[in-house]
Amino acid sequence: MFQTFLIGLREGLEAALIVSILIGYLAKIGRTREVRAMWLGIAAAILIALAFGALLTFGPSTLTFEAQEFIGGSLSIIAVGFVTLMIFWMARTSKNLSGELRAATDKALDGPLFGLVALGAISVGREGLETALFLWAATRASASDSTSALGLTAAAVAGILIAVLLAWLISKGLLRLNLSVFFRWTGAFLIIVAAGVLAYGFHDLQEAGVIPGLHSLAFDMSQAIPPTSWYGVLLKGVFNFSPATTWVEFTAWWSYVIIVGTLFVRNLRASTDQSSQKVSVRR
């Protein structure tokens, strides 16, 4: 449940911050009439994200097992791609997010009112669709006999609600949160979560018969770490660890962690060096 809680908290905070910046900026410059248009776009984005989540959950239920596994595996891999892009995008733009959104709002204010509706829908909708897809994929990968999909979803909703509260406290000046540090650490943990979802996605494709090697195991620790034991459930819930892992899953997990983890650390170092250079120039 922790990983879906973290996804809800992280993605929810991104979306809530975007909403607070957009609405707060319009209120600050006295364009309260346009606030309603912005809320319409945000509400449309939330409804579309919910509908997308429902489609993912109930859509494939009438298909054959192989077709369900193929769709599930493909969407899991796509979800990992979106989340990976989001992690790097947020690490790059978190410091300038407010400025970029304000500039986009100013541009939309020069046009028809529909532009504000579209700005609200696009700004929040992107986060909503990514969150729905990744939560769906992570829930499928983590659900087990002792951890129900309902419990995982409830944990994600709790994370989103806490994110909304945090964003409200930040917008009111009641809470100071170092967003760069927050997104840095949650981004690092999401890489581990995404690696597990990616491996599970490939496992789905193996069960669908698209990729061979379903019974070719890299290791089988089921005797030492039973999937139904508390520590087996804990490892599954936090790291998507499977005690019986195929070579394809093993390769996918380590390849993702090594490649994306290395790029993530290099990105952080480059960002730190740029900040240090700016401080030196000011001195």
Side-chain angles (χ1 to χ4, degrees), residues 100-247:
E100 291 185 8
L101 288 174
R102 290 180 179 183
T105 305
D106 287 336
K107 188 176 180 180
L109 284 170
D110 293 334
L113 208 58
F114 178 76
L116 283 173
V117 178
L119 177 62
I122 293 172
S123 300
V124 179
R126 182 181 57 185
E127 299 292 337
L129 292 176
E130 286 177 356
T131 303
L133 182 57
F134 196 52
L135 276 176
W136 175 80
T139 300
R140 288 184 75 254
S142 301
S144 63
D145 293 338
S146 55
T147 308
S148 67
L150 183 61
L152 294 168
T153 304
V157 172
I160 292 173
L161 293 177
I162 292 175
V164 172
L165 176 62
L166 289 176
W168 182 78
L169 291 174
I170 293 172
S171 66
K172 296 297 180 183
L174 300 175
L175 175 67
R176 289 188 177 181
L177 182 65
N178 190 324
L179 295 176
S180 295
V181 173
F182 174 83
F183 287 121
R184 183 186 309 160
W185 282 104
T186 55
F189 192 82
L190 274 185
I191 290 175
I192 302 297
V193 174
V197 173
L198 181 68
Y200 192 82
F202 276 100
H203 180 77
D204 277 353
L205 294 181
Q206 286 184 300
E207 290 193 321
V210 177
I211 296 178
L214 179 61
H215 302 292
S216 179
L217 300 180
F219 58 83
D220 187 353
M221 304 173 66
S222 301
Q223 295 294 326
I225 308 177
T228 55
S229 64
W230 68 266
Y231 44 94
V233 173
L234 182 65
L235 289 172
K236 178 74 172 178
V238 177
F239 300 110
N240 264 320
F241 173 78
S242 173
T245 298
T246 67
W247 277 108

Side-chain angles (χ1 to χ4, degrees), residues 56 68-85 130 133-134 136-138 140-141 193-206 208 210-211 248-249 252-253 256 260:
L56 290 172
Q68 290 185 37
E69 295 304 297
F70 176 73
I71 293 173
S74 301
L75 290 179
S76 294
I77 294 171
I78 292 172
V80 170
F82 280 130
V83 167
T84 304
L85 291 175
E130 286 177 356
L133 182 57
F134 196 52
W136 175 80
R140 288 184 75 254
V193 174
V197 173
L198 181 68
Y200 192 82
F202 276 100
H203 180 77
D204 277 353
L205 294 181
Q206 286 184 300
V210 177
I211 296 178
V248 170
E249 293 176 81
W253 196 93
Y256 182 86
V260 177

